[in-house]
Amino acid sequence: KIQKGFNYPILIAQHLLPKFTQTLSRRLAKISNVEVYQAADGDKIRPGVVYIAPGNTNMKVLLDENKQPFLSITQSQGPDLTPSIDKLMESAASIFGSNTIGVVLTGMGKDSLEGAKKIKDIGGKILVQDQESSAVFGMGKEVVSSGLASEVVPLEKMADRIMEVANG
């Protein structure tokens, strides 16, 4: 688990329908040591808070007029998998630069590959769930085989590793 006092925001995009992202948000809020919300358009990004992209939307990180990061939530405009992991990772990398940590968990397809490339290109880190603990090692395999993974980590060690990498 991510521990209370973790001083960085966590942004999650998972390929789920809206009712499932809302259920996921509520469930994680009950069992977590940190605040968890289904994100809303315009949410200010606060340290130590987990934001989950609503289903059938895309979530991006932008800067307001005071150069403070906030979330932009837009309805999906096509057949792409949503919420798009690539769009979230790319926008996070453009705002947070080399401080960005991308985490790719179990899933099928290539969504996350372009986002991982952008994060890696700006000096951020990419943690990938290992094949043994993945239900489907599709997205992770794409990132690993493209040479973009900074580390491959078993799921049960992922939260600890995220905290270690974030805290330097």
Side-chain angles (χ1 to χ4, degrees):
K1 283 184 177 180
I2 298 293
Q3 297 303 313
K4 194 169 194 75
F6 183 70
N7 230 6
Y8 305 94
I10 298 175
L11 311 174
I12 298 175
Q14 187 167 356
H15 302 146
L16 290 172
L17 296 171
K19 68 180 179 179
F20 295 114
T21 56
Q22 184 63 45
T23 301
L24 176 64
S25 300
R26 288 183 187 139
R27 174 81 176 122
L28 289 177
K30 286 181 183 175
I31 65 170
S32 295
N33 296 320
V34 295
E35 293 179 64
V36 180
Y37 300 102
Q38 179 164 279
D41 189 46
D43 279 350
K44 301 289 184 200
I45 298 174
R46 297 181 291 134
V49 177
V50 177
Y51 301 90
I52 298 177
N56 289 342
T57 69
N58 286 307
M59 182 165 77
K60 292 183 180 180
V61 181
L62 300 175
L63 292 177
D64 67 16
E65 62 280 353
N66 297 315
K67 304 234 185 275
Q68 296 301 308
F70 73 96
L71 296 173
S72 170
I73 309 288
T74 57
Q75 286 301 124
S76 175
Q77 300 298 318
D80 296 337
L81 290 172
T82 57
S84 169
I85 298 159
D86 280 329
K87 289 177 182 174
L88 176 57
M89 286 179 150
E90 289 169 343
S91 68
S94 69
I95 300 301
F96 300 119
S98 63
N99 293 319
T100 309
I101 302 169
V103 179
V104 179
L105 300 177
T106 187
M108 64 177 79
K110 292 184 177 186
D111 189 22
S112 75
L113 188 58
E114 292 304 314
K117 182 176 182 345
K118 173 111 184 204
I119 291 171
K120 194 75 169 187
D121 285 350
I122 54 93
K125 302 271 190 260
I126 303 295
L127 305 179
V128 177
Q129 181 180 351
D130 70 349
Q131 182 171 359
E132 294 74 25
S133 65
S134 294
V136 177
F137 192 61
M139 291 174 13
K141 181 180 180 183
E142 292 290 335
V143 172
V144 169
S145 64
S146 296
L148 298 171
S150 304
E151 296 180 38
V152 178
V153 181
L155 182 61
E156 65 273 6
K157 295 183 179 182
M158 188 62 79
D160 289 338
R161 192 63 193 130
I162 290 168
M163 291 185 295
E164 290 166 2
V165 171
N167 290 321

